């Protein structure tokens, strides 16, 4: 059981952030046991050749058979839309003692050969391997991943505004709840780890590469929880244009499909991939639907996310009934 006491004004200081480094690090677990992450098999297949040129020995050694990773690889994001270069710079500055402790905790029976030797050298090789991994296997796919993560954050904001913070936490995952000022994460373990945020607030990070809510817990570090993002099952999914016949007869097939898909927030980039059309074409349809009052839009970072409006909900519901 993990608990965070959001004392004082910390309940209002709960914030969301998207961390490319967290996604990069957690994705290493798919190398160890692809069967546990069937949603990402299309991506693993598409990046197989690119992975052959990476420092595979080191990257595989960073996790163990239980798929645990050193905590220093998932630092708390400093901004809502952190850049990978900035996060890798944070990892590069990790004190040697912290690196040794975190790696030893992942490999208590003894370090793999590639992680032995001077800590500064191991850390430098780790950062270089992660940077190469990002360029080869993540950078081409990151807009698609980020769109799903941004949509999740917008959804959480809407739940908070409509139903309150307790509902938002309950919506994160079955194992998460808010009781008064205390956030509880049930892990199935009888061991209780409890932290008081003491004015630092709590950062929530959505991830496509976790199935349960976790968090590197260190009383000396700022509080952080990584939770499973909504829509992870759609990130590699390609959808053909189509929609309910009644809607398609009025709006056309692509616009009808957009109204159907936008039950949850999404960006034009994500929608273009899922529909198999260009982003510019999707943007034209989205603007027309928004101008007609069927969609609403909100900016998150550099992206604009779209969602069905109440009028769009009513039109969609009517087409089904």
């Amino acid at each position: 059981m993990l608990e965070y006491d959001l004392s004082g004004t910390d309940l209002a200081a709960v914030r969301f952030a998207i961390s490319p480094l967290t996604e990069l690090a957690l994705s290493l677990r798919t190398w160890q046991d692809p069967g546990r992450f069937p949603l990402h098999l299309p991506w693993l297949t598409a990046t197989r050749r690119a992975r052959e040129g990476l420092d595979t020995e080191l990257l595989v050694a960073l996790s163990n058979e239980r798929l645990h990773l050193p905590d220093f690889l998932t630092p708390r994001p400093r901004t809502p839309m952190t850049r990978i270069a900035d996060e890798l710079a944070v990892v590069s500055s990790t004190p040697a003692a912290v690196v040794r402790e975190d790696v030893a905790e992942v490999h208590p029976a003894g370090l793999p050969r590639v992680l032995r030797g001077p800590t500064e050298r191991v850390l430098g090789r780790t950062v270089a391997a992660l940077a190469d991994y990002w360029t080869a296997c993540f950078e081409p796919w990151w807009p698609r991943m980020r769109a799903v993560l941004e949509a999740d954050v917008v959804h959480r904001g809407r739940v908070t505004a409509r139903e309150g913070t307790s509902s938002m936490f309950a919506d994160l995952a079955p194992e998460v709840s808010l009781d008064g000022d205390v956030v509880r994460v049930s892990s199935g373990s009888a061991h209780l780890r409890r932290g008081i945020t003491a004015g630092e607030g709590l950062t929530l990070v959505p991830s496509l590469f976790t199935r349960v809510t976790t968090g590197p817990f260190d009383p000396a570090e700022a509080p952080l929880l990584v939770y499973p993002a909504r829509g992870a099952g759609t990130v590699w999914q390609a959808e053909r244009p189509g929609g309910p016949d009644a809607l398609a007869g009025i709006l056309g097939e692509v616009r009808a499909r957009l109204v159907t898909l936008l039950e949850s927030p999404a960006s034009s980039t994500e929608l273009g991939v899922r529909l198999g059309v260009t982003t510019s074409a999707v943007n034209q349809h989205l603007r027309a639907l928004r101008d007609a009052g069927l969609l609403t839009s909100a900016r998150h970072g550099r992206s604009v996310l779209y969602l069905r409006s109440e009028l769009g909900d009513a039109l969609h519901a009517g087409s089904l009934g």
Side-chain angles (χ1 to χ4, degrees):
M1 175 73 75
L2 172 63
E3 293 185 352
Y4 277 122
D5 186 353
L6 303 177
S7 56
T9 61
D10 279 352
L11 195 57
V14 173
R15 69 184 186 94
F16 289 87
I18 291 172
S19 169
L21 180 58
T22 295
E23 294 301 87
L24 190 69
L26 293 181
S27 74
L28 292 173
R29 302 185 303 178
T30 67
W31 295 30
Q32 294 275 33
D33 193 349
R36 290 197 192 184
F37 303 92
L39 294 177
H40 299 298
L41 291 177
W43 171 72
L44 284 171
T45 300
T47 57
R48 181 182 294 120
R49 176 168 288 183
R51 294 199 307 275
E52 293 175 357
L54 300 177
D55 191 349
T56 304
E57 182 184 10
L58 184 136
L59 292 171
V60 169
L62 289 174
S63 61
N64 60 21
E65 66 280 357
R66 299 180 64 187
L67 306 186
H68 293 170
L69 291 159
D71 281 352
F72 75 88
L73 294 181
T74 53
R76 184 189 193 187
R78 296 180 176 179
T79 63
M81 295 291 291
T82 310
R83 298 186 307 163
I84 185 65
D86 295 335
E87 292 192 301
L88 288 175
V90 171
V91 172
S92 296
S93 64
T94 306
V98 173
V99 174
R100 288 193 296 269
E101 181 181 346
D102 287 357
V103 172
E105 186 174 350
V106 171
H107 298 288
L111 298 183
R113 183 190 63 81
V114 71
L115 296 180
R116 300 171 194 164
T119 305
E120 292 78 7
R121 179 179 61 80
V122 171
L123 180 60
R125 182 174 172 180
T126 298
V127 172
L130 289 171
D132 290 342
Y133 177 33
W134 171 268
T135 300
C137 299
F138 255 72
E139 194 168 39
W141 306 92
W142 180 240
R144 189 170 184 168
M145 298 181 187
R146 186 181 61 204
V148 176
L149 297 172
E150 289 175 348
D152 178 274
V153 172
V154 170
H155 169 76
R156 308 299 173 188
R158 291 175 67 90
V159 172
T160 301
R162 289 177 175 178
E163 304 173 29
T165 307
S166 293
S167 294
M168 184 276 290
F169 274 105
D171 189 51
L172 282 183
E175 65 271 13
V176 182
S177 63
L178 176 65
D179 184 5
D181 290 341
V182 178
V183 177
R184 292 192 172 92
V185 182
S186 175
S187 62
S189 169
H191 179 59
L192 173 63
R193 295 179 297 171
R194 182 178 175 87
I196 299 176
T197 58
E200 294 183 301
L202 174 63
T203 299
L204 302 174
V205 178
S207 175
L208 301 170
F209 293 94
T210 187
R211 296 182 298 178
V212 296
T213 302
T214 60
F217 186 85
D218 183 344
E221 297 294 331
L224 169 70
L225 287 178
V226 180
Y227 67 90
R230 298 171 76 252
T234 67
V235 67
W236 310 122
Q237 178 180 341
E239 301 190 35
R240 295 181 179 178
D245 292 342
L247 273 185
I250 300 172
L251 303 175
E253 288 191 349
V254 174
R255 292 181 184 180
R257 190 62 182 149
L258 286 170
V259 170
T260 300
L261 289 174
L262 286 168
E263 178 183 9
S264 299
S267 70
S268 57
T269 301
E270 177 193 359
L271 292 166
V273 170
R274 294 177 66 183
L275 292 172
V277 298
T278 65
T279 302
S280 59
V282 168
N283 276 321
Q284 293 178 19
H285 293 304
L286 291 171
R287 284 193 292 269
L289 291 169
R290 184 182 60 188
D291 291 345
L294 299 179
L295 302 180
T296 61
S297 62
R299 181 167 291 278
H300 181 75
R302 292 176 294 176
S303 299
V304 176
L305 300 180
Y306 294 86
L307 181 69
R308 269 198 327 242
S309 66
E310 291 185 8
L311 178 60
D313 285 341
L315 180 63
H316 183 262
S319 72
L320 300 177

